[in-house]
């Protein structure tokens, strides 16, 4: 593996050293440094049950804390992390850190819900990925049913056979599986049946224009109905307004996540939120809730 990366690097240098290539080299070495020196941070975004008005889950989202540039977001480093294979080590770090932190919150009675963690195609493709997850759960004490792994259609489609096998092994452990960004990729209804998932996440692009677009409302409603008929739980991501929440609630969407409730929070800020709200929907949002 190391040799391979060495070879890639060499290839890199032999190309014309344009600015783009230099930037990528900098970013790759920044990610290596970040892995070594603990500069990656996991942030947590709450997910609220519409019916129960309670935080039932949170999603782990990785950030790189740069000493001068501040927080760097996954959009800026994930593509290269995937391409370079560094995503394996980053994914590992997020899994271990998030499981450990959430189990600490659970141990002291601050939190009862689950943690959702994003997976890349490369992780899902590892031979022994489900064994690795099992080992992390054993080490951190987090029960399997408090872990949800988020997978996109496109990452499953990179090598469907291994991916589905990995997914089945994870399900056998009792881990929940969410199909992320639904509606943006293949969005094939056949996959909803073929993939052993428990949860469907409606992509933000469908939620964005719910108030103004009849088409998007019909689409969201159809997705929710089909998902429920297949026994899946539905989460809407990117909920930013009370009207969107009201519409989704009327469509019986189970769980909502988005800036309307909270941005992703640092471990410290999430600890404060859990301590002060005890997982309840904030009063000011509750009053206007549907
Ligand atoms: P995602 O899994 O679909 O995560 C949702 C993204 O939408 C997050 O962006 C989140 O901060 C953002 N978001 C949440 N609510 C709202 C809202 O109301 N409005 C808007 N405009 N955005 C909202 P983020 O944190 O920048 O992450 C981007 C993507 O990077 C994620 O999309 C996921 O695909 C990937 N990612 C993040 N962390 C990890 C990780 O640990 N591992 C892997 N493999 N991928 C990750
Ligand atoms: Mg996600
Ligand atoms: Mg998503
Ligand atoms: Mg998304």
């Amino acid at each position: 593996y190391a040799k391979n990366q060495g070879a890639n690097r060499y290839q890199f240098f032999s190309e014309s050293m344009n600015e783009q290539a230099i930037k990528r080299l900098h970013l790759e070495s920044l990610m290596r440094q970040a892995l070594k020196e603990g500069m990656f941070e996991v942030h947590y975004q709450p997910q609220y049950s519409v019916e129960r008005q309670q935080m039932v889950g949170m999603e782990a989202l990785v950030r790189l804390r740069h000493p001068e540039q501040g927080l760097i977001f996954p959009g800026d480093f994930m593509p290269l992390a995937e391409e370079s294979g560094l995503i394996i080590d980053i994914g590992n770090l997020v899994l271990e850190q998030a499981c450990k932190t959430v189990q600490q919150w659970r141990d002291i009675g601050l939190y009862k819900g689950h943690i959702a963690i994003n997976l890349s195609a490369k992780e899902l493709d590892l031979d022994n990925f489900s064994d690795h997850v099992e080992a992390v759960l054993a080490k951190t004490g987090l029960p399997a049913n408090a872990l949800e792994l988020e997978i996109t259609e496109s990452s499953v489609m990179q090598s469907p056979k291994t991916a589905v096998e990995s997914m089945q092994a994870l399900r056998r452990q009792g881990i929940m599986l969410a199909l992320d960004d639904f509606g943006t990729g293949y969005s094939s209804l056949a996959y909803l049946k073929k993939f052993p998932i428990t949860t469907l996440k409606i992509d933000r692009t469908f939620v964005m224009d719910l108030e103004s677009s009849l088409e998007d409302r019909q689409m969201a409603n159809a997705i929710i109905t089909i998902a429920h008929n297949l026994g899946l739980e539905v989460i809407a991501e990117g909920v930013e307004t009370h009207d969107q929440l009201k519409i989704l609630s009327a469509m019986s969407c189970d769980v909502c996540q988005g800036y309307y409730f909270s941005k992703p929070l640092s471990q410290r800020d999430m600890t404060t939120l859990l301590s002060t709200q005890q997982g309840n929907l904030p009063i000011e949002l509750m009053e206007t809730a549907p």
Side-chain angles (χ1 to χ4, degrees):
Y1 185 61
K3 253 187 205 155
N4 250 338
Q5 276 182 347
N8 280 341
R9 259 224 206 127
Y10 177 76
Q11 212 177 15
F12 227 172
F13 275 111
S14 66
E15 281 168 19
S16 72
M17 286 290 266
N18 55 35
E19 240 172 85
Q20 192 67 20
I22 294 172
K23 262 194 200 149
R24 287 160 55 99
L25 277 176
H26 276 303
L27 183 57
E28 192 175 329
S29 77
L30 175 62
M31 288 192 286
R32 288 182 196 283
Q33 183 197 357
L35 279 165
K36 252 191 250 144
E37 297 176 10
M39 291 152 65
F40 281 112
E41 280 182 17
V42 183
H43 286 213
Y44 302 88
Q45 188 177 35
Q47 302 174 326
Y48 288 93
S49 155
V50 176
E51 200 184 12
R52 290 157 54 195
Q53 305 208 346
Q54 277 268 323
M55 195 195 299
V56 291
M58 45 175 101
E59 179 172 4
L61 295 156
V62 71
R63 279 97 180 80
L64 197 164
R65 179 153 323 256
H66 192 279
E68 283 111 45
Q69 293 166 37
L71 274 194
I72 305 179
F73 290 84
D76 290 334
F77 59 81
M78 258 320 151
L80 189 56
E82 297 247 1
E83 219 182 292
S84 62
L86 286 172
I87 186 63
I88 300 288
D89 290 338
I90 298 170
N92 240 333
L93 183 150
V94 172
L95 183 70
E96 293 211 5
Q97 178 70 52
C99 289
K100 183 176 140 201
T101 302
V102 169
Q103 186 52 32
Q104 281 168 355
W105 283 327
R106 292 164 56 96
D107 279 340
I108 56 176
L110 275 186
Y111 183 59
K112 293 190 181 68
H114 70 262
I115 177 73
I117 299 176
N118 293 284
L119 290 189
S120 74
K122 285 231 162 75
E123 290 169 277
L124 208 55
D125 227 19
L126 294 173
D127 287 335
N128 49 0
F129 183 66
S130 67
D131 296 338
H132 172 63
V133 176
E134 193 171 20
V136 172
L137 291 177
K139 186 167 121 185
T140 58
L142 187 80
N145 65 7
L147 177 62
E148 181 166 79
L149 296 174
E150 297 193 0
I151 302 159
T152 61
E153 282 171 298
S154 53
S155 64
V156 178
M157 293 321 287
Q158 289 191 26
S159 43
K161 196 162 171 285
T162 10
V164 170
E165 277 166 14
S166 271
M167 289 164 83
Q168 281 161 343
L170 292 164
R171 281 298 299 137
R172 280 195 295 273
Q173 286 181 49
I175 293 164
M176 294 183 288
L177 296 179
L179 196 58
D180 203 354
D181 301 343
F182 188 77
T184 58
Y186 302 78
S187 307
S188 158
L189 296 179
Y191 297 142
L192 285 188
K193 248 184 71 181
K194 218 176 283 168
F195 297 162
I197 53 171
T198 53
T199 311
L200 192 82
K201 289 194 83 170
I202 303 180
D203 192 68
R204 188 166 69 81
T205 50
F206 286 96
V207 175
M208 234 158 45
D209 299 322
L210 275 181
E211 297 112 313
S212 59
S213 161
L214 173 65
E215 227 170 48
D216 283 4
R217 281 198 296 281
Q218 287 169 333
M219 199 73 98
N221 199 29
I223 294 173
I224 292 168
T225 304
I226 290 170
H228 281 164
N229 284 335
L230 291 169
L232 303 175
E233 176 168 87
V234 184
I235 304 186
E237 60 179 15
V239 178
E240 294 187 355
T241 69
H242 181 245
D243 281 346
Q244 290 166 353
L245 170 62
K246 251 176 29 193
I247 293 166
L248 289 161
S249 164
M251 294 173 179
S252 303
C253 179
D254 305 291
V255 176
C256 287
Q257 172 184 357
Y259 294 168
Y260 177 65
F261 304 100
S262 168
K263 295 210 167 183
L265 303 173
S266 68
Q267 180 175 330
R268 212 176 113 219
D269 290 346
M270 180 53 95
T271 304
T272 306
L273 183 84
L274 290 172
S275 313
T276 52
Q277 287 176 10
Q278 280 146 9
N280 292 316
L281 197 66
I283 300 290
E284 67 272 16
L285 299 185
M286 229 197 272
E287 279 166 356
T288 55

